[in-house]
Amino acid sequence: MTDLVMPEALTVAPSLSDRAREALGGRSLIFVGLMGAGKSAIGRLVAQQLALPFVDTDAEIERVSRMTISELFATYGETEFRALEARVMERLLHQSQRVISTGGGAFINEQTRGHIKAGGLSIWLRADLDLLWDRVRKRDTRPLLKTENPKQTLENLMSQRYPIYEEAELTVESADVRKETMAHNVLAAIAGLSARGR
Ligand SMILES: Nc1ncnc2c1ncn2[C@@H]1O[C@H](COP(=O)(O)OP(=O)(O)O)[C@@H](O)[C@H]1O
Ligand SMILES: O=C(O)C1=C[C@@H](OP(=O)(O)O)[C@@H](O)[C@H](O)C1
Ligand SMILES: [Mg+2]
């Protein structure tokens, strides 16, 4: 049998994932944004495509506390939850490169935001109220929305937090498209960083 000789011109162009990894330059990727934006779902997919470990801060908090987020809020209150969240964030940011999906309040903490900016690449999944509401109304796992008018609560959180999420290095619009399309848009935004010379 004759040997198969590959012509040099057939070298493979780097994939979108390769280019995004290159642009990350060893930094962790941190998803921020409001409840329902898709941080947990899209973060997991993007991690798979980047072949990086994935961690969701809420899942990590539930693991270390052996309580659900709802139980933590009910038993210790939001202040204690935020303190635990900040500690978990700091620990995760000191670990090797990974994809981190935060809970919606994590980036609002000034110190956490500082740690993220110093060592990671933050990406805001921005969504409009109706999309967020449509997603979060289906589950009762978010204690902040256990109010008389949860959609109004969500809207209030948008006004308070969007000016802060805006500080993220990248913003990707969270649209009513397939999760795979969202993951692709995220990778393209990251890969675009090196094209912009950053
Ligand atoms: N692009 C998408 N298309 C359809 N459903 C989505 C999409 N992104 C997220 N979801 C769903 O919306 C809900 C909220 O997403 P999640 O990832 O938990 O948001 P977050 O972590 O930002 O609160 C989940 O049920 C998730 O599967
Ligand atoms: O916005 C917030 O303050 C919160 C968002 C939640 O995570 P998701 O954004 O993943 O829903 C969870 O951390 C907790 O219920 C508080
Ligand atoms: Mg989440």
Side-chain angles (χ1 to χ4, degrees), residues 15-35:
S15 67
L16 184 59
S17 302
D18 290 340
R19 287 188 286 126
R21 264 197 87 131
E22 168 85 23
L24 276 172
R27 290 175 294 174
S28 285
L29 176 64
I30 328 291
F31 282 87
V32 306
L34 212 52
M35 296 173 267

Side-chain angles (χ1 to χ4, degrees), residues 109-188:
N109 178 304
E110 198 176 349
Q111 208 178 343
T112 300
R113 204 157 66 248
H115 290 313
I116 292 174
K117 286 181 184 176
L121 174 71
S122 50
I123 184 156
W124 175 26
L125 295 186
R126 182 176 57 196
D128 67 33
L129 179 62
D130 287 331
L131 183 69
L132 295 171
W133 174 239
D134 201 48
R135 290 191 184 151
V136 298
R137 67 193 301 184
K138 293 169 190 152
R139 303 196 65 187
D140 66 351
T141 51
R142 295 180 172 93
L144 288 185
L145 298 179
K146 285 179 180 149
T147 60
E148 272 194 13
N149 186 345
K151 190 173 180 187
Q152 182 63 53
T153 305
L154 203 52
E155 193 170 9
N156 296 345
L157 284 170
M158 285 179 82
S159 330
Q160 289 162 22
R161 291 179 175 181
Y162 274 25
I164 299 174
Y165 292 144
E166 238 166 46
E167 293 180 32
E169 201 164 328
L170 285 173
T171 299
V172 169
E173 199 63 34
S174 182
D176 193 13
V177 295
R178 294 175 67 233
K179 291 176 190 172
E180 289 73 15
T181 306
M182 278 302 302
H184 177 276
N185 293 349
V186 164
L187 291 174

